[in-house]
Amino acid sequence: QVQLVESGGGLVQPGGSLRLSCAVSGFTFGSYRMSWYRQAPGKERELVATASRSGDNTNYADSVKGRFTFSRDSARNTVYLQMNSLKPEDTALYYCNAVYIWDSKRQYWGQGTQVTVSS
């Protein structure tokens, strides 16, 4: 059974930091491209960060460049999103996504973890 379980969300003040985790199971971690998305109320889901299988090639949305860092731990089948210098506009439900590298139609989503940036 495929599972992507996010954790680490919460309420943080502007300028603060959070580290999101996404633990995966039920598929071969190394065969999937992993990404983080987010969706704010009333807005479409947007790509935040994505990385190749090796983690060497990482891309970020312009709005988070320099503040967020994506990493993956193949030994733990887990990906992380370190979020620093958080802003109120970062408030959203953050989702973990996995896409099979040889068939993009085979993809999975986590249930999401809420991040709220507010004073």
Side-chain angles (χ1 to χ4, degrees):
Q1 181 181 358
V2 172
Q3 284 191 312
L4 286 76
V5 180
E6 300 102 333
S7 61
L11 173 63
V12 64
Q13 291 188 339
S17 298
L18 283 174
R19 187 195 195 203
L20 305 184
S21 300
C22 173
V24 308
S25 60
F27 60 84
T28 304
F29 186 62
S31 296
Y32 285 74
R33 183 177 187 87
M34 301 299 298
S35 304
W36 285 96
Y37 286 76
R38 68 185 181 186
Q39 187 166 19
K43 294 188 177 182
E44 294 186 356
R45 190 173 298 189
E46 64 170 347
L47 178 65
V48 176
T50 185
S52 61
R53 285 185 297 162
S54 65
D56 292 340
N57 185 14
T58 306
N59 292 293
Y60 299 91
D62 288 342
S63 58
V64 307
K65 280 181 183 175
R67 300 188 297 121
F68 289 11
T69 302
F70 181 108
S71 61
R72 62 188 289 163
D73 185 340
S74 297
R76 290 183 167 82
N77 284 2
T78 301
V79 295
Y80 304 94
L81 186 67
Q82 178 66 45
M83 307 186 295
N84 299 327
S85 302
L86 283 162
K87 304 175 181 180
E89 50 263 43
D90 295 318
T91 296
L93 191 59
Y94 283 71
Y95 296 92
C96 181
N97 170 263
V99 178
Y100 189 50
I101 59 172
W102 289 289
D103 181 2
S104 61
K105 290 189 276 297
R106 189 190 300 183
Q107 64 175 298
Y108 306 102
W109 293 90
Q111 81 288 351
T113 185
Q114 178 67 40
V115 172
T116 302
V117 184
S118 175
S119 55

